[in-house]
Amino acid sequence: KTHAQVVPPEKISITFWGVDSTMFSPAPEPPGFRILFVGGDPIRKGLIYLLEALKEADLFLQPYELWIVGCAPLQGVPPHWKQFGLTYYAEMPNIYRQCSVLVCPTLEDGIALCVQEAMASGVVPVTSEETADVFKDGVSGIKIPYRNPQAIKDALKMLHDNPNKRREMAHAARAMAEMQTWGSTKENFKEVVRRVANGGSLP
């Protein structure tokens, strides 16, 4: 949508990232309710909106944990918030599969790879606008508006209070991720290049 402000939409073609669903795979359901945030830039990735949503979390999420991966440690956080900082990519599959929900309230992402990695790991994604294009809203993930802590809070409460629904969405997310392979990404990109090379149009 951003590019379409300056480039005619008919000249834009979208190819989604792929995900290695062997490397990223579900584990037995973790105990409790664990929320995951992944992002090196907490401002662009919207961490502030997740933290705002969790201000009164003890009143509607009991118990819960928050795991923050990728960004510089925050100061003065509660003991049930775990901060990993910069993390080797090889460690990410094990982190994902220990969590219940990924919250990615990003402000600017074409496609957030962490969303697809979470889906492949059987983790329900809660994410904003275009990054939600990789799942079906309400079935394999939850789409939220930009800059909306209340929407994040509502999504977390629903998933926390309805574990069976959360499991259903996790299974649906995994199934969708299994179709989003790097092989399909390559083939889609090749098709775009082929059409252009042959004088065809996009998408």
Side-chain angles (χ1 to χ4, degrees):
K1 292 180 181 178
T2 301
H3 292 308
Q5 295 178 29
V6 293
V7 177
E10 64 273 13
K11 292 189 176 183
I12 298 174
S13 183
I14 298 172
T15 298
F16 292 111
W17 292 117
V19 62
D20 185 340
S21 56
T22 301
M23 178 180 181
F24 296 93
S25 59
E29 185 174 357
F33 187 77
R34 187 171 291 143
I35 303 163
L36 176 64
F37 173 87
V38 178
D41 182 345
I43 296 175
R44 183 171 67 87
K45 292 291 185 176
L47 177 58
I48 186 174
Y49 305 105
L50 171 58
L51 302 185
E52 181 69 24
L54 292 176
K55 271 190 174 180
E56 299 176 345
D58 290 334
L59 300 179
F60 66 94
L61 297 180
Q62 198 58 251
Y64 87 96
E65 294 180 30
L66 173 64
W67 284 12
I68 302 174
V69 179
C71 56
L74 307 173
Q75 301 301 313
V77 302
H80 51 287
W81 291 14
K82 183 175 181 179
Q83 301 188 82
F84 291 78
L86 292 175
T87 302
Y88 287 111
Y89 190 65
E91 297 175 9
M92 291 305 299
N94 188 51
I95 290 175
Y96 281 114
R97 63 173 60 103
Q98 294 183 68
C99 296
S100 312
V101 180
L102 171 81
V103 179
C104 179
T106 179
L107 300 177
E108 187 271 322
D109 259 304
I111 301 165
L113 187 56
C114 65
V115 173
Q116 290 169 276
E117 291 171 348
M119 291 169 62
S121 305
V123 178
V124 180
V126 175
T127 187
S128 47
E129 300 300 331
E130 283 88 344
T131 52
D133 287 347
V134 294
F135 60 75
K136 187 174 181 181
D137 184 30
V139 176
S140 45
I142 298 176
K143 182 166 79 169
I144 53 173
Y146 287 124
R147 300 180 176 88
N148 196 318
Q150 184 61 48
I152 298 172
K153 180 179 176 180
D154 292 344
L156 291 175
K157 186 176 188 309
M158 187 280 288
L159 293 168
H160 176 272
D161 294 349
N162 298 275
N164 288 335
K165 176 65 173 176
R166 186 173 76 241
R167 292 187 194 100
E168 289 175 7
M169 294 182 74
H171 288 308
R174 168 67 184 180
M176 184 160 279
E178 287 180 311
M179 297 186 292
Q180 299 167 351
T181 67
W182 284 112
S184 62
T185 299
K186 179 180 69 175
E187 291 304 316
N188 290 339
F189 186 71
K190 283 169 59 178
E191 176 61 20
V192 170
V193 174
R194 185 192 63 78
R195 287 201 305 269
V196 174
N198 291 335
S201 59
L202 297 177

